[in-house]
């Protein structure tokens, strides 16, 4: 399956079969969706697959210091309002599922490492989990958008969370599955070999 700009995303792999989709195909096909098909429901098995991918993501000391709250229906509508402050993220209203990623405590070894090295491993781990989740969503034929513009306090109340909300990810089927050309920096601006 080709995933060149201007083409449609690849078909998801059949249940129970190993996919040999090249990761570069997934990376090229994955894009932020801002126009969801409200009529299409995300199948349970596809949601389970993307959640499982996030569970398999590596993390510092295998601590997995995050929690994912799946919001549908009324809960999704409430969370949507909490990501739309100042007119942002209007498209989120059309997404059938919103995944709220909140912090959980570090495991002891990661907490020690974070303190000694002054590195925020939890944020790194949440980013990796979000990347795995959105890559698997693409492999499943779903579309996503990672949102950092959010009202932490409101979402905590809606979802019954006691730790900070770091990201919200919209999930659904895109109205238009055409892959847009990627606008990225040249590799020479991002990489130095020494």
């Amino acid at each position: 399956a080709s995933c060149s700009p201007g083409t449609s995303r690849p078909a998801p792999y059949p249940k129970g079969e190993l996919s040999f989709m090249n990761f570069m195909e997934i990376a090229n096909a994955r894009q932020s969706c801002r126009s969801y098909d409200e009529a299409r429901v995300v199948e349970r098995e596809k949601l389970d697959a993307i959640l499982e991918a996030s569970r398999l993501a590596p993390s510092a000391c295998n601590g997995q210091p995050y929690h994912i709250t799946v919001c549908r229906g009324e809960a999704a509508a409430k969370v949507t309002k909490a990501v739309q402050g100042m007119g942002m993220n209007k498209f989120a209203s059309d997404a059938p599922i919103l995944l709220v990623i909140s912090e959980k405590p570090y495991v002891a070894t990661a907490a020690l490492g974070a303190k000694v090295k002054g590195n925020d491993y939890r944020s790194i781990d949440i980013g990796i989990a979000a990347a795995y989740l959105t890559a698997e969503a693409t492999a499943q034929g779903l579309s996503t958008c990672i949102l950092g513009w959010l009202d932490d306090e409101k979402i905590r109340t809606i979802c019954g969370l006691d730790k900070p909300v770091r990201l919200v990810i919209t999930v659904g089927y895109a109205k238009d599955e055409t892959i847009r050309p990627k606008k990225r920096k040249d590799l020479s601006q991002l990489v130095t070999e020494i």
Side-chain angles (χ1 to χ4, degrees):
S2 174
C3 295
S4 300
T7 64
S8 292
R9 67 180 60 251
Y13 51 85
K15 187 175 181 180
E17 291 185 24
L18 181 62
S19 172
F20 291 101
M21 179 185 246
N22 180 299
F23 180 77
M24 292 303 288
E25 290 178 308
I26 294 171
N28 193 49
R30 196 262 156 217
Q31 58 192 4
S32 295
C33 178
R34 292 179 178 85
S35 181
Y36 290 94
D37 184 345
E38 297 174 76
R40 293 189 69 187
V41 175
V42 174
E43 300 87 345
R44 180 80 235 180
E45 60 271 11
K46 291 186 177 187
L47 176 60
D48 289 345
I50 65 175
L51 295 171
E52 178 65 7
S54 68
R55 186 185 74 83
L56 294 173
S59 61
C61 304
N62 200 29
Q64 299 175 286
Y66 48 81
H67 181 80
I68 300 171
T69 304
V70 178
C71 300
R72 295 183 186 251
E74 186 61 31
K78 289 178 181 177
V79 170
T80 294
K81 289 179 182 171
V83 298
Q84 293 179 325
M86 297 178 68
M88 299 293 287
N89 303 319
K90 292 178 182 177
F91 64 89
S93 299
D94 298 333
I97 297 174
L98 277 76
L99 302 176
V100 174
I101 304 181
S102 56
E103 290 184 358
K104 288 304 247 180
Y106 280 120
V107 294
T109 50
L112 178 62
K115 186 172 184 168
V116 170
K117 292 297 181 182
N119 207 340
D120 182 9
Y121 297 124
R122 183 170 25 228
S123 291
I124 295 167
D125 294 343
I126 288 170
I128 294 168
Y132 269 55
L133 188 153
T134 56
E136 180 59 23
T138 299
Q140 291 288 334
L142 296 169
S143 295
T144 57
C145 190
I146 302 170
L147 310 177
W149 183 275
L150 53 86
D151 186 321
D152 172 54
E153 191 174 306
K154 285 183 183 175
I155 297 174
R156 281 199 221 188
T157 300
I158 294 162
C159 297
L161 300 169
D162 61 354
K163 299 285 185 210
V165 173
R166 300 301 298 274
L167 296 173
V168 173
I169 301 176
T170 56
V171 181
Y173 285 96
K175 279 186 183 174
D176 178 5
E177 295 185 350
T178 302
I179 298 170
R180 301 181 302 269
K182 301 280 188 224
K183 296 177 183 176
R184 302 291 190 265
K185 291 180 180 179
D186 187 78
L187 199 57
S188 66
Q189 294 178 278
L190 301 171
V191 177
T192 301
E193 285 192 43
I194 56 173

